[in-house]
Amino acid sequence: MDRQVKRRVERHRFLYIYRQERRSVWFCVVPYMKAGGIKRHKRRTFQDRRYGTKAAALAVAQQWRDEQTELSEVRRAMGDQKALSLFTAVSEATPFGLVGIKPLFRLKPLGGNMSVTAQKGRKRWFSMRKYGVWEAYEMAVIQRCKWIGAEPPDRADMDARFNRWLEANEGQLTKHEICYKSLLQTRE
């Protein structure tokens, strides 16, 4: 269960590719890392008239970008490409022992969410009021696994982690008026 997940480079259609309509040109700017850790950029332009059409120039730009992102100096400069793991020690920052999954409670409006994060800028919340405490937790775990490309933990492991957290946080759930009593009865 503690194996790390080697991430592939996720390329959306316009990653590092930009358009300048005035000049009818696509240009690609790809970061790379020089010796000594100095970050630089490779630049190349793709003019519509040279490749025939706007779409053809874009296709060539994407092909060049894809070739460049396979180079090790570019991969290092692209940022956080290290392997990700789902499991960690239980702490205040990771109450379930799952990286990126954390319950958040609020007073106005009264309630709580399961927060899930992954990589830079990816964040999503699942309402404990709307979905229920267990369902919000389960949806957060599944979302995190999708984002990092890991297999979800087995049901027994998820139950054990959740029940440990639930017993320690009954007061929080009561304070924020989130129903969990039926959950305790059905899960025992």
Side-chain angles (χ1 to χ4, degrees):
M1 277 299 185
D2 289 340
R3 72 178 176 81
Q4 293 189 329
V5 179
K6 181 72 176 157
R7 290 191 292 167
R8 68 184 195 290
V9 176
E10 289 189 27
R11 297 182 195 105
H12 57 79
R13 189 169 175 212
F14 297 105
L15 178 69
Y16 302 133
I17 297 177
Y18 309 92
R19 177 78 179 163
Q20 208 173 47
E21 287 293 341
R22 185 173 45 87
R23 294 176 48 211
S24 299
V25 65
W26 291 101
F27 63 99
C28 188
V29 181
V30 177
Y32 72 97
M33 195 73 73
K34 284 179 68 172
I38 300 168
K39 195 171 181 179
R40 297 283 187 235
H41 292 92
K42 295 180 182 186
R43 293 175 172 83
R44 187 162 171 202
T45 58
F46 305 88
Q47 294 181 339
D48 296 352
R49 69 172 179 240
R50 180 172 181 202
Y51 297 101
T53 65
K54 183 177 178 178
L58 174 61
V60 174
Q62 290 170 330
Q63 181 181 358
W64 184 80
R65 182 262 333 261
D66 292 345
E67 290 168 4
Q68 296 302 308
T69 56
E70 295 302 318
L71 301 174
S72 62
E73 66 268 14
V74 173
R75 295 286 300 255
R76 280 196 314 272
M78 287 176 72
D80 183 19
Q81 296 296 321
K82 65 181 185 271
L84 298 175
S85 62
L86 180 63
F87 302 98
T88 187
V90 174
S91 70
E92 191 174 320
T94 55
F96 296 107
L98 299 171
V99 177
I101 298 169
K102 186 174 181 178
L104 301 172
F105 295 99
R106 62 185 181 274
L107 294 174
K108 291 183 182 178
L110 203 58
N113 295 322
M114 288 291 174
S115 167
V116 58
T117 58
Q119 299 154 340
K120 295 178 184 173
R122 284 192 168 176
K123 190 165 201 163
R124 193 163 176 197
W125 297 271
F126 298 98
S127 171
M128 290 186 222
R129 281 188 180 277
K130 182 176 180 180
Y131 301 111
V133 183
W134 167 256
E135 288 78 10
Y137 164 74
E138 186 176 39
M139 291 166 78
V141 171
I142 290 168
Q143 183 65 62
R144 169 78 181 173
C145 291
K146 279 183 189 174
W147 280 343
I148 68 168
E151 290 292 319
D154 60 26
R155 182 66 180 231
D157 184 41
M158 283 178 62
D159 281 350
R161 291 171 186 276
F162 180 78
N163 287 334
R164 185 174 50 242
W165 174 82
L166 189 63
E167 289 170 11
N169 289 281
E170 288 182 44
Q172 277 282 59
L173 295 168
T174 302
K175 177 181 173 184
H176 292 88
E177 298 177 3
I178 298 171
C179 181
Y180 67 94
K181 296 288 186 199
S182 60
L183 189 65
L184 286 174
Q185 293 165 359
T186 58
R187 301 188 66 71
E188 290 175 352

